[in-house]
Amino acid sequence: MPWTKIILDKSAALSKLTEGGLRAATYCEALCEAQAQLLETDDAVFLLGEGLDEPGGVFGSIAGLSERFGNRRVLDSPLAENGMTGIAVGAAMVGMRPIFIHMRMDFLPMCMDQIVNHAAKWNYMTGGRTNVPLVIRSIIGRGWGSAAQHSQGLHGFFAQVPGLKVVLPSTPYDAKGLLIAAVRDGNPVMFIEHRWLYANTGFVPAEMYEVPLGQGVVRRKGRDITVVALSHMVWAAIRAAEILATEGIDVEVIDPRTVRPLDAGLICESVARTGRLVIADVASPSGGCSAEIAACVAESEAVRTLKAPLRRVGFAETPTPCSPVLEAAFYPDHTHIADAVRACMQA
Amino acid sequence: MYAIAPATQLELFWMMLFIRRFEEKICEVYGAQDMKTPVHLCIGQEAIAAGVCAHLDRADHLTTTHRGHGHCLAKGMDPYRLYAEFYGRTEGCCHGKGGSMHPADPELGISGTSAIVGGGIPTAVGAALASFLRREKRVSVVFFGDGASEEGVFHESLNFAALKKLPVVFVCENNFYATGSPLSSRQPHPEIWRHAAGYGIPGLAADGNDVLAVYASAAGAVARARAGEGPTLLEYTTYRWKGHVGPDCDCARGVRPLAELEAWQERCPVAGFLKKLLEAGLVTQAQYDARLAEMDARLDADLAKAKAAPYPEPHALHADVYHQRS
Ligand SMILES: Cc1ncc(C[n+]2csc(CCOP(=O)(O)OP(=O)(O)O)c2C)c(N)n1
Ligand SMILES: [Mg+2]
């Protein structure tokens, strides 16, 4: 199925898609197209964020939208994250569908009050009378000494909060389909991208379509072990699986796509079959989404089938360092996933 | 008019030149792609750092931003420790953990730099609160951009500092842009100094490309803070010559009009002041050439030493996540 498949090599992906008569696009183009179509088809949608008027704004993911839709639909905002979040929430409460965009996820802690105490609560506090159809796009950065304040994966914070939905698209197909679903969902949705996915290529239909929130996907079928991977780590997991296949280890790769609500059924069903589990996240493991995934397996019958202790792969338990040497020690890649898988297989 | 001693004028000039050359060296080496840290250069804005910091003592607190190299140098930081930090080396001012955006030197009153816009403004007020509580004469100076004046913390910080008459000087470097967004698309009026009135503190604006104007206007604000009379908001208009980040100019990408940059380059704080000093006979061309050569030699040596300095061991990744209780 082209819409779930990840082909690591860009030119291989392109020729495979052309062969099948399928349209290829990058993650970045997919995001841009989704927003263009949302703006076209729904007058309630508008974009808000810092630097939206800049040429090549938001790493190209809104390219041309400001010129095309004008400054009533694409609003360049002052540097005022918490206030602007509240303003977006307020517009959403009376029926608009704002997409508030942040170049780095690290700026979201400034918006915490409006997201956590307000956006996530209105529907409940009003007994369902006022909902908040707000999407907050943000991007996890990485590399070139981005350091402690420009490369965090904070999805775990948000996944803790009832009332929020938290999405981490890993493919171009999902970037478009999840964004459209998020905007139409009617709830505050944290839409979390990864900078290192922007150039990745895959199948993206031209028309509008939705990928349902809360539904994971099996990226690769396998018998021996389940690897649950998030965001950029999905690609690392596929790479690890290809290497491990040559060693006779058949890896199943699951991409939850949404961490709140989490598709626990899909994960537990897979683990019940394979009896082994590795979780790979774009964040430090402790107290985050990988802990939640482990807990949902531990709470299910699947836990009885585990033949080895599960393992987690994630950032080091430190802030992100600047020095390239330390950066290399901080980030996991496919080799760490492969090592974790081998360790599980031997246990 | 406030008379500024010739020796002081020269010191101001040399500091501006030093900052300019420090930044230009980064431009020279950055293309080699081994200085792996996002650099936000202050070329074009040197007069503000030089003119304000000239009033500060070693013990005074200084808080800067992502665009902080010049402020750190003007406060007395060793260029070698900065270059080594940018190269991710152990001898860097943050042992390679922070990079260009987060320089620190607590011995010089630079306790840490945030790259979150506005993040340093309340911490500077906190340092001033500490001076107040300890009955110290230490002044806290905070530099921030025009963009930061849109953040809620700017207003919350002004309010509290004014309320408690804290010894803090708010220095807004208004370069008219936040990344590629012009001030006019972000704020309803262009005069940031006027926010002072809302909090009942003095506010004033001056030409941030004229180091003597900066020096003269900052004198009163620092003196006022030191005397326990409370905060002042200073706004200096200026212009950054390079792109928001990196050594290239962003005019080529259509972010800012080239004519605008060229007009500001006509008003170069360094060249403009040099011309005046030469005309006034405070410095000769030969003296200038000699001093420039001396500075370049020092910065080149620091840069080369930084590049050759050892990297941290990978296990240093795990050091300093927490302070160790002694
Ligand atoms: C809270 C926050 N929002 C956005 C950013 C991204 N960002 C970094 S610098 C910058 C512009 C800051 O403009 P200004 O305060 O005028 O300083 P300048 O860069 O002009 O010196 C922006 C938007 C950030 N680092 N922190
Ligand atoms: Mg600015």
Side-chain angles (χ1 to χ4, degrees):
Chain A
M1 281 178 292
W3 44 90
T4 62
K5 188 144 183 78
I6 286 180
I7 300 169
L8 295 174
D9 180 64
K10 193 170 179 123
S11 51
L14 281 171
S15 56
K16 191 93 189 160
L17 290 172
T18 331
E19 216 172 90
L22 297 169
R23 181 168 172 269
T26 64
Y27 188 89
C28 177
E29 290 161 350
L31 288 168
C32 194
E33 184 169 86
Q35 292 166 109
Q37 292 174 337
L38 285 160
L39 286 164
E40 252 165 36
T41 54
D42 186 346
D43 288 340
V45 174
F46 68 97
L47 310 186
L48 179 70
E50 293 165 16
L52 300 198
D53 284 349
E54 283 180 41
V58 200
F59 308 119
S61 67
I62 55 156
L65 299 185
S66 154
E67 296 80 359
R68 184 163 156 212
F69 293 97
N71 63 9
R72 296 181 71 84
R73 308 295 305 282
V74 179
L75 279 74
D76 200 356
S77 119
L79 278 64
E81 291 75 9
N82 197 36
M84 292 311 302
T85 307
I87 290 165
V89 169
M93 289 167 76
V94 297
M96 298 300 284
R97 291 184 185 269
I99 305 178
F100 190 11
I101 310 175
H102 298 265
M103 302 265 285
R104 303 278 182 177
M105 180 156 213
D106 310 68
F107 309 149
L108 289 183
M110 305 189 73
C111 316
M112 235 32 182
D113 171 58
Q114 280 297 332
I115 295 173
V116 176
N117 290 332
H118 296 89
K121 307 295 195 276
W122 284 122
N123 198 69
Y124 194 80
M125 288 197 299
T126 62
R129 299 191 66 185
T130 299
N131 67 321
V132 183
L134 166 67
V135 173
I136 299 182
R137 283 183 55 205
S138 68
I139 303 162
I140 301 177
R142 176 169 172 177
W144 200 261
S146 294
Q149 295 180 331
H150 284 78
S151 54
Q152 299 172 85
L154 301 175
H155 36 294
F157 284 6
F158 299 104
Q160 261 258 310
V161 182
L164 297 180
K165 295 191 179 181
V166 184
V167 180
L168 292 103
S170 72
T171 64
Y173 183 89
D174 285 357
K176 180 171 174 183
L178 284 169
L179 186 52
I180 292 170
V183 168
R184 292 174 177 168
D185 189 68
N187 287 292
V189 180
M190 308 303 296
F191 191 89
I192 300 162
E193 304 154 22
H194 194 290
R195 184 67 184 92
W196 280 23
L197 291 171
Y198 264 50
N200 290 8
T201 298
F203 170 51
V204 178
E207 69 276 8
M208 287 182 93
Y209 61 92
E210 293 186 31
V211 171
L213 306 186
Q215 240 177 57
V217 64
V218 179
R219 294 276 175 216
R220 187 184 193 280
K221 274 270 166 213
R223 268 175 290 111
D224 299 328
I225 184 164
T226 303
V227 174
V228 178
L230 290 173
S231 184
H232 183 246
M233 290 312 272
V234 175
W235 293 67
I238 297 286
R239 174 155 297 162
E242 287 178 3
I243 293 165
L244 292 161
T246 66
E247 300 169 20
I249 303 173
D250 192 16
V251 178
E252 176 143 310
V253 177
I254 291 193
D255 176 0
R257 302 195 282 204
T258 303
V259 291
R260 183 174 199 107
L262 181 66
D263 193 347
L266 183 75
I267 296 167
C268 295
E269 182 277 324
S270 171
V271 174
R273 264 188 296 108
T274 62
R276 291 185 164 91
L277 175 62
V278 167
I279 306 161
D281 192 6
V282 282
S284 302
S286 297
C289 290
S290 67
E292 181 56 29
I293 291 165
C296 85
V297 171
E299 283 177 337
S300 79
E301 285 300 318
V303 75
R304 299 184 200 277
T305 65
L306 282 183
K307 297 171 202 149
L310 66 87
R311 285 182 179 253
R312 291 188 287 160
V313 176
F315 298 173
E317 296 283 347
T318 73
T320 315
C322 172
S323 180
V325 180
L326 302 180
E327 227 180 36
F330 176 81
Y331 284 110
D333 62 17
H334 62 281
T335 65
H336 298 82
I337 297 177
D339 286 347
V341 165
R342 290 184 196 106
C344 279
M345 294 309 295
Q346 277 154 21
Chain B
M1 181 52 199
Y2 188 94
I4 298 168
T8 306
Q9 295 197 29
L10 279 176
E11 284 314 311
L12 292 171
F13 177 71
W14 298 131
M15 181 50 73
M16 282 199 293
L17 185 64
F18 191 56
I19 297 169
R20 171 69 58 93
R21 293 305 292 152
F22 177 91
E23 298 284 66
E24 284 175 343
K25 300 280 169 200
I26 295 173
C27 299
E28 286 167 22
V29 300
Y30 207 69
Q33 308 229 348
D34 53 2
M35 186 180 272
K36 293 185 178 165
T37 183
V39 288
H40 301 78
L41 304 174
C42 68
I43 295 177
Q45 308 187 178
E46 299 89 344
I48 305 166
V52 172
C53 292
H55 296 290
L56 301 183
D57 298 333
R58 189 181 162 86
D60 287 333
H61 300 287
L62 182 144
T63 307
T64 174
T65 67
H66 57 286
R67 199 174 307 289
H69 304 168
H71 309 134
C72 291
L73 291 170
K75 190 70 176 42
M77 263 183 92
D78 177 353
Y80 169 65
R81 301 291 307 273
L82 287 168
Y83 283 147
E85 184 61 30
F86 304 169
Y87 275 121
R89 312 297 159 134
T90 309
E91 287 179 359
C93 58
C94 301
H95 308 306
K97 291 277 172 54
S100 158
M101 294 190 284
H102 310 294
D105 198 339
E107 287 165 21
L108 290 172
I110 305 170
S111 58
T113 303
S114 173
I116 298 297
V117 173
I121 302 175
T123 60
V125 173
L129 175 65
S131 292
F132 169 79
L133 294 175
R134 295 181 192 137
R135 300 180 200 285
E136 290 172 347
K137 289 278 173 213
R138 292 168 87 175
V139 168
S140 177
V141 169
V142 53
F143 293 93
F144 53 93
D146 47 300
S149 72
E150 287 145 35
E151 294 283 2
V153 283
F154 168 67
H155 299 274
E156 295 170 32
S157 300
L158 278 184
N159 182 61
F160 185 74
L163 178 73
K164 298 288 180 193
K165 287 195 163 34
L166 297 180
V168 54
V169 181
F170 297 94
V171 184
C172 181
E173 296 183 319
N174 180 2
N175 61 12
F176 299 98
Y177 284 89
T179 68
S181 289
L183 182 60
S184 59
S185 77
R186 298 179 287 111
Q187 298 195 29
H189 69 77
E191 292 169 317
I192 291 159
W193 65 274
R194 292 203 303 172
H195 288 296
Y199 302 99
I201 61 170
L204 57 113
D207 178 356
N209 279 25
D210 176 349
V211 73
L212 297 182
V214 174
Y215 183 85
S217 52
V222 173
R224 198 178 119 79
R226 214 178 292 287
E229 290 161 17
T232 304
L233 173 60
L234 303 174
E235 175 191 350
Y236 295 117
T237 46
T238 185
Y239 201 78
R240 101 175 116 67
W241 287 13
K242 298 292 179 180
H244 168 69
V245 58
D248 303 322
C249 176
D250 53 0
C251 297
R253 292 191 296 120
V255 176
R256 298 180 301 170
L258 184 61
E260 184 180 276
L261 169 66
E262 285 172 348
W264 277 94
Q265 285 180 327
E266 288 292 307
R267 303 192 45 243
C268 172
V270 181
F273 193 40
L274 174 62
K275 191 160 170 275
K276 281 192 196 152
L277 292 174
L278 288 168
E279 280 166 8
L282 289 182
V283 72
T284 65
Q285 185 66 41
Q287 283 168 330
Y288 169 78
D289 291 342
R291 188 71 180 255
L292 177 64
E294 199 181 294
M295 270 181 204
D296 277 349
R298 160 157 198 211
L299 291 171
D300 286 337
D302 283 339
L303 200 54
K305 186 175 159 202
K307 211 173 149 169
Y311 274 120
E313 294 295 329
H315 64 73
L317 173 65
H318 300 281
D320 298 323
V321 177
Y322 297 100
H323 171 70
Q324 299 301 322
R325 204 171 147 171
S326 44

